[in-house]
Amino acid sequence: MSETKKQTRIPTFNSPEEEAEFWDTHDTADFEDEFERTEVRFAKNLSQGITVRFTAETLETLRATAQRKGIGPTTLARMWILERLEAIDQGTAAP
């Protein structure tokens, strides 16, 4: 079976400038039925990473706490580490 390509009203562009010019003069709402949904994730450009190992129980607690806050467990752990380091720098926490 051959896959048929869907007819589109959006032209093929030869350059990003040509595409920008097209979208400057057209409304994307007029082409909504031609767009496909996609999932996009954005991450901050962090320069380095570390691996931290936890017991299953600790990791589950971290995940549950993060979920209640509406963030991911890695984000929560990063926030806590940064808060602790800042407190140490300010002299409000023991090193």
Side-chain angles (χ1 to χ4, degrees), residues 1 6-7 13 19 22 26 36-38 42 45 51-54 56 62-63 66 76 79 82 84 86 92 94:
M1 251 204 249
K6 185 179 175 184
Q7 188 79 0
F13 305 105
E19 184 173 4
F22 177 84
H26 293 79
E36 293 179 21
R37 276 196 187 271
T38 186
F42 296 94
N45 187 14
T51 301
V52 180
R53 299 199 183 280
F54 295 111
L62 177 64
R63 286 181 174 145
L76 180 59
M79 286 170 47
L82 292 173
R84 178 70 174 178
E86 184 177 336
T92 58

Side-chain angles (χ1 to χ4, degrees), residues 11-95:
T12 302
F13 305 105
N14 295 316
S15 69
E17 293 79 17
E18 188 179 315
E19 184 173 4
E21 188 175 319
F22 177 84
W23 291 117
D24 282 345
T25 58
H26 293 79
D27 188 341
T28 57
D30 295 335
F31 299 89
E32 236 174 54
D33 58 321
E34 296 192 37
F35 297 136
E36 293 179 21
R37 276 196 187 271
T38 186
E39 185 133 348
V40 179
R41 290 181 56 189
F42 296 94
K44 293 181 183 172
N45 187 14
L46 301 176
S47 58
Q48 296 182 5
I50 63 169
T51 301
V52 180
R53 299 199 183 280
F54 295 111
T55 64
E57 183 179 300
T58 300
L59 184 55
E60 184 52 41
T61 301
L62 177 64
R63 286 181 174 145
T65 303
Q67 186 176 20
R68 282 194 305 276
K69 293 179 174 288
I71 58 178
T74 304
T75 301
L76 180 59
R78 184 181 318 111
M79 286 170 47
W80 283 346
I81 291 168
L82 292 173
E83 286 172 7
R84 178 70 174 178
L85 291 172
E86 184 177 336
I88 291 169
D89 284 347
Q90 293 178 355
T92 58

